[in-house]
Amino acid sequence: MNEAGADQSARDVFRLDNDTLAFRFTATLTNRNGSRFERLTSPQRLELWLRANDLMDTPATATEDDLRGAQDLREAIHRIGTAVCEDRRASRADVGIVNTASELGDAHLVLESGRALWKSAGHNPIRDALSIVAADAIAVLGGPDHDRVKACQGDGCTGLYVDTSRGNNRRWCSMNICGNKAKKSAMTARAD
């Protein structure tokens, strides 16, 4: 499969529309409060997501342990993000998962063809890639915009996002997906 084909299949499998890398990662599991929909169903799916987000610059094969670790990291990020949205303290265990994932990586940014890209410097590109996701979560959830982290108000969506609107009044993780669904639902309700 060529690179364009790999990108297209990643778009078919994953939601890649969130501007925040860590929250794009949490979107690999949707509808946490209802009929959960898991998109990271195999080590190969993990590899696909990492490549689609420019986090793997070398060929690597993910294992079942990598997949479980990625899912644990994803859920810790989501729980911490939800705690931030609700102005609660995150659990020590979740903070420990994210901090450890960040510390274990050996990756660095490079400027290549006018783009900032992550390069793995270690012997475990999967771990390095997940450390980048963890570091992004730390920067967002503990950074200056942490008070702009919100949970989507879309029906059945538990997506997280950073509200960059001027009035800090955005309601949905994606206007094209959750916002459209909400507006269509409201129009249908008015028509009935």
Side-chain angles (χ1 to χ4, degrees), residues 12-66:
D12 292 341
V13 174
F14 302 112
R15 285 194 55 188
L16 301 172
D17 57 336
N18 198 311
D19 291 334
T20 303
L21 176 67
F23 297 158
R24 198 175 321 135
F25 187 57
T26 64
T28 60
L29 176 67
T30 55
N31 204 6
R32 283 174 172 82
N33 298 331
S35 56
R36 298 164 64 97
F37 185 73
E38 176 66 72
R39 289 182 170 88
L40 287 181
T41 55
S42 68
Q44 294 75 28
R45 283 273 183 96
L46 173 60
E47 294 168 22
L48 180 64
W49 189 90
L50 294 172
R51 280 193 305 275
N53 288 279
D54 293 326
L55 297 177
M56 280 187 23
D57 63 321
T58 58
T61 302
T63 65
E64 288 292 331
D65 285 342
D66 292 329

Side-chain angles (χ1 to χ4, degrees), residues 96-167:
I97 290 169
V98 174
N99 285 341
T100 299
S102 177
E103 292 167 4
L104 289 177
D106 191 9
H108 58 276
L109 269 176
V110 296
L111 185 61
E112 192 171 284
S113 302
R115 292 180 58 208
L117 298 175
W118 285 102
K119 296 288 183 181
S120 174
H123 300 302
N124 190 331
I126 304 294
R127 184 180 61 207
D128 292 347
L130 292 173
S131 77
I132 296 164
V133 174
D136 185 65
I138 292 166
V140 172
L141 297 169
D145 289 332
H146 76 278
D147 60 336
R148 290 184 163 268
V149 173
K150 294 186 178 178
C152 184
Q153 294 178 20
D155 188 32
C157 184
T158 57
L160 299 170
Y161 63 96
V162 176
D163 184 353
T164 57
S165 68
R166 183 175 292 181

Side-chain angles (χ1 to χ4, degrees), residues 48-98:
L48 180 64
W49 189 90
L50 294 172
R51 280 193 305 275
N53 288 279
D54 293 326
L55 297 177
M56 280 187 23
D57 63 321
T58 58
T61 302
T63 65
E64 288 292 331
D65 285 342
D66 292 329
L67 178 63
R68 279 189 296 279
Q71 290 169 336
D72 290 346
L73 173 62
R74 176 193 65 198
E75 293 311 295
I77 292 169
H78 192 273
R79 286 188 298 266
I80 295 169
T82 301
V84 167
C85 293
E86 296 172 355
D87 202 24
R88 292 185 290 108
R89 173 172 255 136
S91 81
R92 284 186 191 187
D94 287 337
V95 170
I97 290 169
V98 174

